[in-house]
Amino acid sequence: MDAQLLRTFVTVTRLASFPAAARELGCGQDTVARHVAALERDLGLPLLTRRPVVPTVAGARLLEHAVPLLLRLDAARAEVARLAPAPDGPLVLAAAPLAVGPRLLAALPAATARVTLSVRPREAIPAAVTDGTAHLGLVDGLTGTGEPLPPPGTGTLTAHRVTEAPLAVHLPATHPLAHRAGVRLGELTGARWVDAPAAGVPLDQLRAAHGTYGFRPALRYDGTDVRTLTALAAAGQGLTLLPATVPAAPAATAVPLVEPRLLHRVVLLHPGEPAAPAADLAARLTGR
């Protein structure tokens, strides 16, 4: 079974679109269609319905095997590549926007190698570390006190906790809740929110934490600049939940979240035991 055909099939299934898969894979739509058709011929079964693009029963079963298999192949390729002499290029650290905090900024000046900091959506970082595009990764998310590592979706990567911080709701200074000492998440289910899945805490995490749908978006922001997100909250475009370490924008305030008792956790990801100089930066980030 050809790994390239599998990768195309997984991409089409994830995006539910042949054109979108072609754009992501950097090839023509006809190439994507040929790859899927070739895989179907090899297995002797239809794997996708075309309108809408959803996996068949056989396709869903193949998907269960294909995703971890491709992740393992990427990990194997990256592990073998690390046996080669170290390149002269920089150490690449991929980080989610909310993972770029005081601990990281303090560690960078003391790094023993030139570092490229690549800010990316959190869901893209485990794959980048697995396939060797990045040497280290910093991901973040909501957690309860004492919940175990690693975070979901990190596969075979090693995970170490970097920081944990309480959370605060950012809202305009004129908001009725602005002068409260604390706020409960349940009070905000009917509020208007900024949906910023890359730069802030995704709304689906708030829904999961509260166990309700709620948390309706008033505006969607697809960027990764946290300062823009806080400015949107200050302008009354919607509320946003951020780590307490993030300062509020002018004309805004950050009210602590007191219930439920959630934390914002930043986790360092790396494959196995990182070699120098990645190991040095990892040690500075985790305090190990």
Side-chain angles (χ1 to χ4, degrees):
M1 195 178 301
D2 188 286
Q4 185 178 6
L5 303 185
L6 274 180
R7 198 175 300 277
T8 301
F9 165 71
V10 169
T11 305
V12 172
T13 305
R14 174 168 53 82
L15 298 176
S17 166
F18 280 72
R23 288 192 296 271
E24 181 168 310
L25 294 169
C27 62
Q29 186 175 339
D30 56 340
T31 301
V32 171
R34 284 199 305 271
H35 283 185
V36 173
L39 190 58
E40 289 177 323
R41 285 195 303 272
D42 182 26
L43 295 174
L45 287 167
L47 301 173
L48 293 170
T49 62
R50 268 43 177 189
R51 293 184 181 180
V53 179
V54 295
T56 63
V57 173
R61 182 59 58 88
L62 177 62
L63 199 63
E64 293 175 6
H65 295 280
V67 172
L69 178 61
L70 291 172
L71 191 63
R72 294 288 298 182
L73 285 173
D74 289 339
R77 183 181 294 110
E79 187 169 341
V80 171
R82 283 191 291 273
L83 298 176
D88 295 330
L91 171 66
V92 179
L93 172 63
L98 289 181
V100 181
R103 175 70 66 86
L104 172 59
L105 299 179
L108 288 179
T112 58
R114 184 163 57 94
V115 178
T116 293
L117 176 61
S118 176
V119 178
R120 311 182 186 191
R122 61 178 60 81
E123 65 272 10
I125 292 173
V129 178
T130 298
D131 66 19
T133 306
H135 300 91
L136 300 170
L138 286 173
V139 295
D140 70 300
L142 297 187
T143 181
T145 304
E147 287 189 6
L149 294 171
T154 54
T156 59
L157 299 175
T158 301
H160 294 291
R161 183 169 51 222
V162 176
T163 60
E164 286 182 348
L167 294 149
V169 179
H170 287 238
L171 37 74
T174 56
H175 193 280
L177 298 177
H179 302 292
R180 292 270 295 271
V183 65
R184 298 187 302 275
L185 196 58
E187 299 177 81
L188 305 173
T189 56
R192 290 159 53 88
W193 289 79
V194 178
D195 184 14
V201 175
L203 294 186
D204 58 357
Q205 292 190 19
L206 299 190
R207 297 180 186 118
H210 191 258
T212 186
Y213 182 70
F215 305 103
R216 297 170 299 163
L219 175 74
R220 183 177 174 91
Y221 172 58
D222 285 327
T224 59
D225 185 5
V226 179
R227 288 178 299 179
T228 298
L229 177 56
T230 59
L232 289 170
Q237 296 300 316
L239 310 185
T240 187
L241 184 68
L242 294 169
T245 53
V246 176
T253 188
V255 180
L257 179 70
V258 295
E259 186 184 307
R261 301 187 70 82
L262 297 173
L263 295 171
H264 175 260
R265 176 182 288 173
V266 177
V267 174
L268 176 71
L269 303 177
H270 57 79
E273 290 299 323
D280 175 70
L281 181 55
R284 294 181 185 279
L285 288 169
T286 60
R288 297 169 67 89

